[in-house]
Amino acid sequence: MAKYFSAKRQKYRDIMANARDYATWRDAALELDYLEGHVEWKESYVSPLYNYELIYNRLMELRTAHQRHDNMTLIRSLREGLHHDLGNMGNPQLYQISHVGTKHLIEEYVNQVCESIDYVCREDLPELPAKQKLDFFKDTLLSFGRPALLLSGGASLGLFHLGVVKALWERGLLPQVITGSSVGSIMAAMLGATTDDEIPEMLDPNKHNLKAWRWMGFMNGLMGKGFMDITQLESVLRSNVGEYTFLEAYQRTGRSINITVSPTHHHQKARLLSGYTSPYLLMWSAALASSAVPGIFPPVMLMKKDQHDNAIPYMPTLRWVDGSVVSDLPVERLMHLYDVNFTIVSQTNPHIVPFLNTRPSNVKNSLLGLPARALKAEVRFHGAALFNNLRKMTDVEILRQSFGQAYTILAQRYHGDMTIAPTYTFWHYRRMLSNPTPDMVERLMLEGERATWPKIAMIRSHSKISQALEKAVRVLKQRLQGKKPELRVINR
């Protein structure tokens, strides 16, 4: 009998590993949860991992007020009782036990909150007139916070990001705030220019011009002109992104796109380009600069639109390069600009992924691994200090840039609250700088989806309430104003 159940468990593990869609993966995961006894764990509210009594009481309060149409109690309960990660319900350990989902109490609570938000938004309530209702949801969203999706660099391997995007979008979990660096900036810019109705076409491997690499010769690279043709990359970007500024893209899709670029001048700092900081900047130009890997492509001058919609230089004396060099994941900047409370990182940098721990940051690590982690932290700290001093001491520009890049690689943080990353093989490294074929795109996208599916439950617990609040603000704004959003890039 034990052999029979072992074979059956292996069968479902194989189905999950080879699934080509979420429904197939989820069905197998549910069967595996049943065989391994996780169903009972999910159905039981009790656990030392979270404050189940607090969440149960909040659930009953909301449910009772909603069912009785006790509008004032419901409104006050939503305003003062909504807190991100209430009762530690986002504890990563709650999402490590079963293969799919978590405690049903958490799922019921999130569903009830979203239903109550929708009810208050949809119904005409004498207790909350329309203008006050909009202010109510703005304030609640500001207090609660929102998730963000961060897409790293990774050259052609960054097509993995499209699979992550697909998995989140199909489950209604794609954040409104999206940032990217290097190849991640290209994916972010494409999302910024793509409406929800157009996303299926964007996710079709056969629909895009992805031939960004064209060799320019060895001597061009040595002379500082880049080994690859920057005009080829620009052509690919403009065909996939269009001629939208950050502001125009937000007005078209409602997505707040952010792109990091790194300076070439030592008196400049890295910048996060967005509808806040650079509303008239052309998105393709920002993505081009963010993708200009030093040595591979030459530095880029940014372009913007003037009041007559003509493309003109933006800070013409400055040049910019790959955003991942200095700021691959600008988490703190996003927190300040958008009240971000949960970061989902899709990390594909080939020099980072092999050393990356994709476990959520607050999962307890074994004491057995403490010496290795301490040694790693020491090497990272002293290595960063060494390269920082070397870059300041040398006057040779190529050495200064090399030491500077080594310093920023060691000094940066490459993970988020939730980190999604591929498993690289020799196949991946061989294709890192190659023009992707549709088959390569399809493979990398599927890898991105499969890496995301096990994390859906945790992402949902952290994101769904924020998205319900964002939707309420958007609906009420349209109802009151009957026009497109103004310059403000987030709904405050």
Side-chain angles (χ1 to χ4, degrees), residues 4 85 122 161 211 229 277 300 330 343:
Y4 168 78
D85 202 10
R122 184 182 67 250
H161 297 321
K211 299 187 183 302
D229 185 0
T277 61
V300 170
T343 53

Side-chain angles (χ1 to χ4, degrees), residues 363-433:
V363 169
K364 293 181 180 178
N365 290 294
S366 168
L367 289 175
L368 295 176
L370 184 59
R373 294 197 302 276
L375 178 61
K376 180 179 177 182
E378 283 295 308
V379 170
R380 188 183 184 95
F381 175 78
H382 292 294
L386 172 64
F387 285 116
N388 190 31
N389 287 328
L390 287 173
R391 70 171 179 158
K392 292 177 180 178
M393 292 168 56
T394 183
D395 293 325
V396 180
E397 182 62 20
I398 190 168
L399 289 177
R400 188 185 69 81
Q401 289 188 21
S402 298
F403 292 145
Q405 289 179 40
Y407 162 70
T408 54
I409 287 172
L410 289 171
Q412 286 190 66
R413 169 183 170 180
Y414 288 97
H415 60 87
D417 297 312
M418 168 65 71
T419 305
I420 304 169
T423 300
Y424 283 154
T425 64
F426 182 65
W427 180 91
H428 293 87
Y429 286 101
R430 281 182 55 207
R431 289 159 178 80
M432 188 171 63
L433 298 179

Side-chain angles (χ1 to χ4, degrees), residues 41 46-52 87-89 91 93-95 97:
W41 177 86
V46 179
S47 171
L49 298 175
Y50 73 127
N51 190 338
Y52 59 90
N88 202 26
M89 69 179 193
N91 182 352
Q93 291 177 278
L94 288 165
Y95 303 86
I97 295 173

Side-chain angles (χ1 to χ4, degrees), residues 10-55:
Q10 187 58 48
K11 169 190 171 183
Y12 290 120
R13 289 194 187 97
D14 291 342
I15 292 174
M16 291 168 66
N18 296 295
R20 301 189 67 83
D21 59 77
Y22 179 73
T24 301
W25 179 90
R26 186 175 185 274
D27 288 346
L30 288 172
E31 291 289 345
L32 202 53
D33 278 342
Y34 174 77
L35 288 173
E36 295 178 350
H38 297 151
V39 174
E40 292 79 5
W41 177 86
K42 288 190 282 188
E43 290 176 345
S44 171
Y45 292 174
V46 179
S47 171
L49 298 175
Y50 73 127
N51 190 338
Y52 59 90
E53 292 177 333
L54 173 63
I55 295 174

Side-chain angles (χ1 to χ4, degrees), residues 146-150 177-180 256-260 272 274 276 329-343 490 492:
R146 70 184 75 211
L149 175 64
L150 295 86
V177 177
I178 301 169
T179 188
S256 297
I257 302 303
N258 305 263
I259 292 175
T260 59
L272 183 67
S274 69
Y276 264 142
L329 305 173
V331 173
E332 289 188 11
R333 190 76 170 120
L334 292 176
M335 288 179 175
H336 289 302
L337 286 175
Y338 300 101
D339 308 306
V340 167
N341 59 23
F342 182 68
T343 53
I490 63 171
R492 277 187 170 168

